[in-house]
Amino acid sequence: TNPPPSKFKEFNEVVKGCERFEGLFNLYRTNDTLYAEIKGGVLDQPILSPIAIARGMASAGQPLNFGDEWILVFHREGDKIQVIRRNIHYQAPAGTPLEKAVKQNYTDSILMALPIISLNGSNPVIDFSQIYFSDFANLRMGQLDRNRTSWHKIKTFANNIELEVEATFMAPQMSSRMAAMGDDGVADGRGVTLVIHYSLAKLPETGYKPRLADNRVGHFISASKDFGSTDPDSTFVRQINRWRLEKADPKAKLSPPKKQLVWWVEDTVPHEYRPYVQDGILEWNKAFEKIGFRDAIGVRWQNERDDFDPEDINYCAFRWITTSQTYAMSGLRANPLTGEMI
């Protein structure tokens, strides 16, 4: 007897003629459709998902989930893949009644459930445009017009993928309201167009030792509420955001790091300020020498041969923005489970 027909489309037919990108997810693009093959090592695993504005609205480089990096999980439920945002802000000691109580009271959020289109072996294939050609970044700027939305860039690596969507929103009321607050850089509220950068990345390797924050010193932190805490002053676990720096020579009083922290300076910095930008970044090496690291920070200058995006989490980038407001900000990304800066 013949086997029953598959409920899914045949994989080779689905990806026939597609542009292929191999990496953490294997991606297959045809026009605006971007098929994503979810490998076994990715399914049900925590995936870090930073989001930023890459272009537009006088906000280039603006992180959209700064200080609250999303942990996503892709989970198969029947014939669908659920996109789940993990609730990481509550915890209790493993194996205790309190842990059971936390799990009963605080659940993850299922953001989407996408149909499985095909299977490559046992790897499910879904359409990423169903995720990213929507207001997945939760900008709340009005209705996104799919006809005026397209893939701007697609890059894949072994441990992360970097996606950019040129998205257009129909938001005249939002544009006028924002214009009243200042220059939003929008030409016409009937077409609020910006490029949104989405990253999907494996969590850093284990072995990093978190450091708890002290209220007397200011730090960016990653925090969660521990219901098993015995601290009489607070139930919050506050882990500072810091780099994983290790000495190349552990016995040396002053040693270069195993991996230098390289800051790439974007070519948007005006020429007359470039020497001072470089000197200002390298000035921090004096502080790292106090804890035994020589040349902990390096500076590289972007040129026309460098094909990278400042939002790509493989890079630390210093960038210049043109806006009517005067300010400086950090766009740091950290593992919210440990505080390790990425």
Side-chain angles (χ1 to χ4, degrees), residues 279-314:
D279 289 348
I281 295 173
L282 294 178
E283 183 76 11
W284 281 97
N285 276 325
K286 295 177 182 178
F288 283 98
E289 287 178 2
K290 301 281 188 182
I291 57 171
F293 290 95
R294 184 179 72 248
D295 297 328
I297 293 179
V299 172
R300 303 288 186 274
W301 286 87
Q302 182 186 15
N303 59 50
E304 64 276 2
R305 298 185 302 275
D306 296 319
D307 180 27
F308 75 91
D309 306 300
E311 298 81 17
D312 185 340
I313 62 168
N314 288 304

Side-chain angles (χ1 to χ4, degrees), residues 48 67 69 71 88 203-204 208-213 219-224 237-244 332-342:
L48 189 63
E69 278 76 19
I71 296 287
I88 60 173
L203 294 180
Y208 171 81
K209 184 178 180 180
R211 179 176 175 181
L212 297 181
H219 290 287
F220 290 113
I221 62 170
S222 299
S224 62
V237 178
R238 302 163 62 250
Q239 299 174 128
I240 72 170
N241 298 152
R242 64 171 183 156
W243 302 104
R244 185 192 296 214
L332 75 85
R333 296 300 189 181
N335 178 357
L337 302 177
T338 65
E340 178 185 353
M341 281 169 57
I342 299 170

Side-chain angles (χ1 to χ4, degrees), residues 54 66 205:
F66 177 72
E205 295 179 1

Side-chain angles (χ1 to χ4, degrees), residues 123-172:
N123 295 342
V125 176
I126 60 175
D127 180 4
F128 262 5
S129 67
Q130 294 186 28
I131 301 176
Y132 296 114
F133 281 23
S134 72
D135 189 19
F136 189 67
N138 203 27
L139 290 171
R140 302 180 184 179
M141 289 174 48
Q143 183 179 353
L144 181 139
D145 185 355
R146 284 196 62 144
N147 287 326
R148 289 183 281 169
T149 296
S150 61
W151 296 106
H152 189 254
K153 286 184 181 178
I154 299 169
K155 295 183 178 180
T156 55
F157 307 92
N159 294 322
N160 62 294
I161 65 172
E162 305 294 326
L163 306 173
E164 287 191 355
V165 176
E166 185 175 81
T168 296
F169 294 84
M170 296 177 288

Side-chain angles (χ1 to χ4, degrees), residues 89-331:
H89 298 298
Y90 305 93
Q91 60 176 294
T96 66
L98 282 174
E99 182 188 34
K100 182 178 180 181
V102 167
K103 290 181 178 179
Q104 286 179 338
N105 284 276
Y106 303 99
T107 59
D108 299 333
S109 294
I110 300 174
L111 303 181
M112 290 183 168
L114 307 180
I116 296 173
I117 296 169
S118 181
L119 293 175
N120 185 14
S122 60
N123 295 342
V125 176
I126 60 175
D127 180 4
F128 262 5
S129 67
Q130 294 186 28
I131 301 176
Y132 296 114
F133 281 23
S134 72
D135 189 19
F136 189 67
N138 203 27
L139 290 171
R140 302 180 184 179
M141 289 174 48
Q143 183 179 353
L144 181 139
D145 185 355
R146 284 196 62 144
N147 287 326
R148 289 183 281 169
T149 296
S150 61
W151 296 106
H152 189 254
K153 286 184 181 178
I154 299 169
K155 295 183 178 180
T156 55
F157 307 92
N159 294 322
N160 62 294
I161 65 172
E162 305 294 326
L163 306 173
E164 287 191 355
V165 176
E166 185 175 81
T168 296
F169 294 84
M170 296 177 288
Q173 73 284 358
M174 175 63 74
S175 180
S176 60
R177 186 160 68 246
M178 293 183 72
M181 299 168 58
D183 181 13
D184 62 3
V186 175
D188 191 315
R190 292 169 294 182
V192 182
T193 302
L194 65 160
V195 176
I196 307 171
H197 189 109
Y198 296 96
S199 300
L200 291 173
K202 290 175 63 175
L203 294 180
E205 295 179 1
T206 58
Y208 171 81
K209 184 178 180 180
R211 179 176 175 181
L212 297 181
D214 188 304
N215 287 331
R216 295 167 294 181
V217 183
H219 290 287
F220 290 113
I221 62 170
S222 299
S224 62
K225 192 168 187 178
D226 184 356
F227 286 95
S229 171
T230 57
D231 187 331
D233 299 320
S234 176
T235 58
F236 283 92
V237 178
R238 302 163 62 250
Q239 299 174 128
I240 72 170
N241 298 152
R242 64 171 183 156
W243 302 104
R244 185 192 296 214
L245 272 179
E246 299 172 302
K247 286 184 175 181
D249 181 359
K251 296 180 180 179
K253 183 177 180 181
L254 193 62
S255 167
K258 287 182 179 179
K259 183 179 180 181
Q260 189 182 45
L261 307 176
V262 177
W263 281 89
W264 288 84
V265 183
E266 196 182 35
D267 56 10
T268 51
V269 176
H271 289 282
E272 62 269 29
Y273 298 138
R274 292 186 179 189
Y276 310 107
V277 167
Q278 178 162 328
D279 289 348
I281 295 173
L282 294 178
E283 183 76 11
W284 281 97
N285 276 325
K286 295 177 182 178
F288 283 98
E289 287 178 2
K290 301 281 188 182
I291 57 171
F293 290 95
R294 184 179 72 248
D295 297 328
I297 293 179
V299 172
R300 303 288 186 274
W301 286 87
Q302 182 186 15
N303 59 50
E304 64 276 2
R305 298 185 302 275
D306 296 319
D307 180 27
F308 75 91
D309 306 300
E311 298 81 17
D312 185 340
I313 62 168
N314 288 304
Y315 298 87
C316 298
F318 179 99
R319 66 191 317 181
W320 198 270
I321 61 172
T322 51
T323 173
S324 57
Q325 304 176 53
T326 54
Y327 65 94
M329 67 170 296
S330 168

Side-chain angles (χ1 to χ4, degrees), residues 41-63:
V42 174
L43 201 66
D44 290 319
Q45 296 302 306
I47 300 293
L48 189 63
S49 180
I51 308 171
I53 296 176
R55 293 187 181 184
M57 294 188 64
S59 300
Q62 177 76 40

